[in-house]
Amino acid sequence: MHSSDFGKDFLWGVATAAAQIEGAANSYGKGPSIWDTFAKRTGKTKKGHNPSEACDFYHRYQEDIALVKTLGFKVFRFSIAWARIFPLGRGQINQDGIRFYNNVIDECLKLDLIPMVTLYHWDLPESLSKEGGWTAFGINAWFNEYVAFCAKEYGNKVKHWVVINEPFGFTSLGYMLGVHAPGQTGVHNFFDAALHTAIAQAEGAKILRAEVKNAIIGTAFSCSEIVPYTQSAQDLLAAKRTDALMNRFFLEPVLGMGFPTADWEVLEKFAISHSTWRYQERMKFDFDFIGLQNYFPLVIKYNAFIPVVQAWEVKAKNRRAPHTAMGWEINANSFYRIIKQFAAYPQVNNIMVTENGAYFQDHLVDGKVNDQARIHYFKAYLAAMLKAKNEGVNITGYLAWTLMDNFEWAEGYQARFGLVHNDFKTQQRTIKQSGYWWQDFLSL
Ligand code: NOJ
């Protein structure tokens, strides 16, 4: 398998996110984000790690973007920290922040890399969170103001956009389970946040369409093949509910189908209480590409004690299935199947894999990280993607997660997903063997 098997226009890249790499979290005029404050709360992140320095990308972006080029990629996906542009979330702007992203974009263009900008990758300005954040009615206007500003400021140089990163990820972890920022819990918070997010992803895209000439607009969904543990009616239904939540919930409104409320009373109630049909048009947008992010399949079993979804994950290690250091099952065939599941919607006609990658225990020995497991992972996942592509799925790009080891949210700095190793004490970057593998792969 060679990269040329995917066609010469296929977009190969790496993905990153502001809060995970930038650092300079409290300087150059940036306002605090919900991750800056959440990480300070005791017990919220492993070892109390926080994003205040991260990879210090803020000062080292030239070196890091040069690495993207060295590895042979064409696309550099990064996100804009909302609170670096609008320290309070809206109103007053921060010139240093605006300049920083201009510099990052210019650096990409100078090296003939495509800058791909994510507008929201989980770091909501703290001051908006104090007003309710994604659960607040006002969020759509605040988000639109921010998007319009970015579109006007960067739209002449940036054509590739991702509106929102993994809506299910941050609304479920941050507003229902409370394990991510802002640490809120409960199904009410989740549904409020979810409705506003579903509106934001389409409205943000509409603003980009109006403001940016020749824009290529996508938005990025997490997805997981859902496999019932047994064929019992209860397990099958539990799997179906999980699929509705994890794979369909944010995608179908975009496609004009509204939320997937049929067959599940809980979602029907949500639709009624929030009158979601009224927002059907606002939640709809004909995206140029659907970003698909996959890390693992889930095996699901009925469990009456789990609130709302009444479903329980049977973990990979308990099934003796191969898994990463994150505990996530390695299963390239399931990647193939979830791509096919997304491609089966007639409205989905262009898929870009906007994230895929793995955390393994890496060891830096004599200046080398010999991460064969990661190479193995990528080979298998790329082969699965090629199979789907050869069967006719229009897959137009693949972005590896991630350029370098970084702040992995609640997991802190120990969960290393990078193609480049980072020493967080010295900020020394070392290309891992997987990085060199990509370099070879992309040269053919
Ligand atoms: C998806 C998220 O978008 C990204 O921020 C995160 O680091 C990776 N998954 C790995 O967990």
Side-chain angles (χ1 to χ4, degrees), residues 78-120:
F78 61 95
S79 74
I80 293 180
W82 186 342
R84 206 179 276 296
I85 304 283
F86 289 96
L88 298 175
R90 59 191 152 128
Q92 205 185 326
I93 51 171
N94 170 33
Q95 289 301 338
D96 277 352
I98 296 165
R99 196 171 318 117
F100 171 65
Y101 295 110
N102 268 313
N103 291 343
V104 169
I105 293 162
D106 292 344
E107 195 63 24
C108 289
L109 298 176
K110 192 172 102 195
L111 297 180
D112 196 25
L113 294 172
I114 298 173
M116 184 185 286
V117 168
T118 310
L119 285 163
Y120 186 74

Side-chain angles (χ1 to χ4, degrees), residues 20 121-122 165-166 293 295 328 355 401 408-409 417:
Q20 296 182 270
H121 202 129
W122 303 1
N165 183 74
E166 295 197 352
Q293 314 201 149
Y295 288 89
W328 294 348
E355 276 188 33
W401 185 267
E408 176 57 25
W409 310 114
F417 281 81

Side-chain angles (χ1 to χ4, degrees), residues 125-379:
E126 173 63 23
S127 58
L128 297 184
S129 195
K130 289 205 178 100
E131 294 181 63
W134 284 101
T135 65
F137 178 73
I139 190 76
N140 289 110
W142 307 331
F143 184 68
N144 290 352
E145 178 187 350
Y146 159 66
V147 174
F149 183 87
C150 293
K152 287 201 184 94
E153 179 64 32
Y154 304 120
N156 59 339
K157 297 188 286 194
V158 174
K159 298 301 164 193
H160 293 74
W161 298 85
V162 171
V163 182
I164 289 188
N165 183 74
E166 295 197 352
F168 181 72
F170 79 84
T171 53
S172 63
L173 299 170
Y175 289 90
M176 182 156 60
L177 302 173
V179 294
H180 272 198
Q184 294 182 12
T185 51
V187 82
H188 290 292
N189 283 327
F190 169 71
F191 281 137
D192 289 350
L195 176 62
H196 299 141
T197 303
I199 294 172
Q201 67 188 356
E203 287 194 339
K206 287 170 195 170
I207 293 168
L208 289 169
R209 183 69 85 227
E211 297 290 343
V212 181
K213 221 168 120 201
N214 301 327
I216 300 163
I217 307 167
T219 196
F221 300 102
S222 52
C223 58
S224 283
E225 184 199 12
I226 306 296
V227 183
Y229 186 57
T230 70
Q231 292 301 309
S232 74
Q234 284 187 322
D235 282 359
L236 287 171
L237 283 173
K240 206 171 167 194
R241 291 192 292 273
T242 312
D243 184 52
L245 263 186
M246 294 188 68
N247 297 318
R248 303 172 51 203
F249 197 70
F250 286 95
L251 172 68
E252 294 189 0
V254 155
L255 306 181
M257 301 162 71
F259 289 104
T261 51
D263 311 326
W264 185 11
E265 203 188 333
V266 172
L267 293 188
E268 265 166 25
K269 278 193 186 148
F270 153 64
I272 293 165
S273 64
H274 289 71
S275 312
T276 58
W277 63 88
R278 282 207 240 147
Y279 305 99
Q280 201 126 326
E281 273 306 307
R282 282 179 77 186
M283 297 191 295
K284 188 175 157 192
F285 185 75
D286 186 14
F287 278 97
D288 299 315
F289 66 90
I290 291 295
L292 182 153
Q293 314 201 149
N294 176 253
Y295 288 89
F296 48 81
L298 286 177
V299 172
I300 292 295
K301 188 180 169 165
Y302 172 72
N303 185 328
F305 296 106
I306 304 299
V308 189
V309 63
Q310 298 193 307
W312 182 249
E313 181 199 352
V314 186
K315 294 243 182 327
K317 73 172 189 317
N318 299 333
R319 293 181 277 115
R320 296 180 200 283
H323 54 273
T324 68
M326 208 75 172
W328 294 348
E329 180 176 344
I330 303 168
N331 186 336
N333 292 330
S334 86
F335 181 44
Y336 161 82
R337 288 190 291 264
I338 196 74
I339 292 175
K340 296 285 268 205
Q341 183 176 328
F342 269 54
Y345 291 94
Q347 305 95 317
V348 174
N349 42 41
N350 184 332
I351 288 178
M352 182 158 346
V353 176
T354 39
E355 276 188 33
N356 170 243
Y359 155 40
F360 291 105
Q361 299 287 354
D362 293 327
H363 303 285
L364 180 65
V365 182
D366 299 331
K368 244 177 128 175
V369 178
N370 193 5
D371 56 338
Q372 292 301 319
R374 189 172 284 107
I375 296 175
H376 199 261
Y377 177 97
F378 281 125
K379 279 187 184 163

